[in-house]
Amino acid sequence: MLAIAASPMGVQLHCLDPSDPAPAAVASKHTLGSYQNRDDVIAFAKDCDVVTVEIEHIDTKALKELEDMGIDVQPTSRTLSIIQDKYAQKEHFAKAGVPLGDFKSVADEAELQAVADDFGFPLMIKSRRMAYDGKGNAVAKTSGDLSDAVAKLGGYDKGLYCEKWVPFVRELAVMVVRSKSGEVRAYPVTETVHANNICDVTTTPANIPASVAKEATIAAKAAVASLEGAGMFGVEMFHLEDGRILLNEIAPRPHNSGHYTIEACACCQYQNTLRAIMGWPLGDTDMRVGGAVMKNILGDGEGDAAMRRMHDVMGAALKVPGANMHWYGKEASKAGRKMGHLTVTGKHPTEATARLEQVLTIASGEPD
Ligand code: ATP
Ligand code: MG
Ligand code: MG
């Protein structure tokens, strides 16, 4: 999607990706290699004008070397190394005064028990690193679950920390773009609904009072302003019953909860990423439609039948006004793998939601 936005802007995208052929087949140039391998990263990036990432689990020491060689890395290696360690991220935002839930690192059983006594249950235990789609999270409902939860995450040596359970009423996300000169612009507030820890549906604008939207936007901008470097940031937040907004985490890149911007905003998250990292003026983040919903299309298994079910959804989207298909062209389906998404726009979020339901009804073969 970044490559699709790059083409009309005259930006030649050169992509380092471990799969062959790369999903970003539209990229003007593709290098097969690992973003976690120092030599691959250096060889790939040494002739680039600007280097950015679409995943935070990257070799940030290699990015630091590039910076020392005079290569422009955006956001900076320092920002990426803070964000890729979720505990360091929390510490950073706590110091910056961004509202957060309670969190504490745990290095052994005694420390975990002490945190459990303090935070209570359910207790969220998280891996510091390599987390995505909830894969680094384990919930202990009682003290009897603690050792299984730790084992599920690979043990204390992996680097774990705890978060006090946040009894949120909804999850919100705000995409924030930051320019090289430090200007920050926020997109509208989105409501995100997760299924099995994976983002399922986003609705924009979120159905919340204007005062809550304002508070979420202020918190998201403040969090991004506390980081170095240019680019796009997906800010995930919790909205509590008492009205408070707490930061969950930040992704230093275009994000699922910003996919709706492709159809729904004047300048989408991908074009604004490019504008930001190139040092060009930022684009307009306002919506140009009244409402938008995004639905992730995940594989529900392997093989042709799973592929066909997803193709049916894409085909149904072509029949409904305002529905847009995005098929990623990944070779094989796997359970839980993001294979594409739909964005459905309407005069307001309710119309967009009704249109999405129409797509899913058609795809399921039921009479619509
Ligand atoms: P992503 O794919 O967004 O990077 P991740 O693997 O980094 O996800 P988190 O964002 O930390 O995981 O958590 C995934 C989901 O788990 C959240 O969106 C939220 O629904 C739930 N969650 C996370 N932390 C807490 C908490 N402290 N209390 C309650 N629920 C939580
Ligand atoms: Mg994450
Ligand atoms: Mg998350």
Side-chain angles (χ1 to χ4, degrees):
M1 289 176 266
L2 193 66
I4 292 166
S7 176
M9 301 194 83
V11 174
Q12 290 197 327
L13 201 88
H14 185 173
C15 165
L16 175 70
D17 190 288
S19 51
D20 183 22
V26 70
S28 47
K29 201 169 162 200
H30 167 229
T31 297
L32 190 61
S34 168
Y35 41 78
Q36 288 170 340
N37 177 293
R38 182 251 170 218
D39 293 346
D40 285 1
V41 172
I42 302 285
F44 161 79
K46 64 179 181 8
D47 300 319
C48 293
D49 296 314
V50 189
V51 177
T52 194
V53 299
E54 279 199 313
I55 186 163
E56 55 273 26
H57 308 305
I58 188 160
D59 183 345
T60 49
K61 282 202 205 92
L63 294 181
K64 175 76 174 68
E65 271 187 63
L66 288 170
E67 286 167 347
D68 293 343
M69 287 158 62
I71 306 279
D72 191 6
V73 179
Q74 301 292 346
T76 62
S77 64
R78 195 159 155 257
T79 289
L80 295 169
S81 61
I82 292 169
I83 286 180
Q84 70 179 198
D85 176 342
K86 288 169 88 170
Y87 178 74
Q89 189 187 144
K90 295 260 167 187
E91 282 198 304
H92 170 89
F93 290 124
K95 269 194 216 120
V98 179
L100 291 177
D102 290 337
F103 64 98
K104 194 135 196 347
S105 69
V106 285
D108 58 37
E109 215 179 303
E111 283 188 15
L112 180 63
Q113 193 55 57
V115 174
D117 291 345
D118 183 13
F119 288 177
F121 293 97
L123 181 68
M124 178 63 94
I125 310 173
K126 294 191 179 181
S127 296
R128 291 175 64 147
R129 293 176 175 278
M130 299 301 288
Y132 73 101
D133 288 345
K135 288 192 171 54
N137 292 359
V139 180
K141 291 201 177 113
T142 66
S143 53
D145 299 336
L146 288 171
S147 54
D148 280 356
V150 168
K152 182 194 150 198
L153 298 176
Y156 294 99
D157 291 349
K158 287 269 173 169
L160 305 180
Y161 77 101
C162 289
E163 289 184 13
K164 190 168 182 173
W165 190 258
V166 179
F168 58 82
V169 287
R170 60 176 63 79
E171 291 187 81
L172 302 173
V174 176
M175 298 305 306
V176 177
V177 60
R178 183 189 156 107
S179 75
K180 283 190 172 170
S181 64
E183 180 191 355
V184 285
R185 285 192 189 184
Y187 283 87
V189 181
T190 298
E191 174 163 1
T192 60
V193 175
H194 292 75
N196 302 321
N197 280 294
I198 305 177
C199 177
D200 178 27
V201 171
T202 74
T203 306
T204 320
N207 183 17
I208 48 173
S211 57
V212 176
K214 193 172 164 196
E215 200 189 321
T217 305
I218 289 171
K221 280 173 133 178
V224 171
S226 75
L227 297 165
E228 279 180 357
M232 185 63 63
F233 298 84
V235 184
E236 299 178 10
M237 287 167 285
F238 300 121
H239 178 207
L240 278 67
E241 198 157 18
D242 62 10
R244 274 183 308 150
I245 298 286
L246 301 180
L247 182 83
N248 174 19
E249 60 163 350
I250 288 199
R253 52 174 164 79
H255 191 252
N256 249 207
S257 56
H259 280 347
Y260 78 93
T261 64
I262 295 174
E263 284 86 8
C265 293
C267 178
C268 76
Q269 65 167 345
Y270 295 100
Q271 188 186 130
N272 247 341
T273 299
L274 294 164
R275 286 175 179 240
I277 66 171
M278 301 295 289
W280 294 344
L282 299 182
D284 182 358
T285 53
D286 285 348
M287 285 182 85
R288 56 182 182 184
V289 294
V293 294
M294 188 282 308
K295 175 153 180 79
N296 266 324
I297 305 301
L298 306 183
D300 62 1
E302 292 179 16
D304 289 348
M307 277 296 204
R308 235 180 344 262
R309 282 191 287 278
M310 289 181 281
H311 289 175
D312 286 348
V313 176
M314 295 291 148
L318 297 178
K319 295 181 183 161
V320 175
N324 299 276
M325 59 173 277
H326 294 260
W327 182 247
Y328 302 159
K330 296 182 182 176
E331 289 227 307
S333 167
K334 264 195 270 182
R337 187 176 197 197
K338 287 175 181 153
M339 300 295 286
H341 75 265
L342 301 179
T343 297
V344 189
T345 61
K347 287 193 282 295
H348 35 68
T350 318
E351 184 181 59
T353 302
R355 286 173 162 178
L356 172 62
E357 276 161 18
Q358 206 185 337
V359 173
L360 299 176
T361 304
I362 296 172
S364 70
E366 289 166 29
D368 53 312

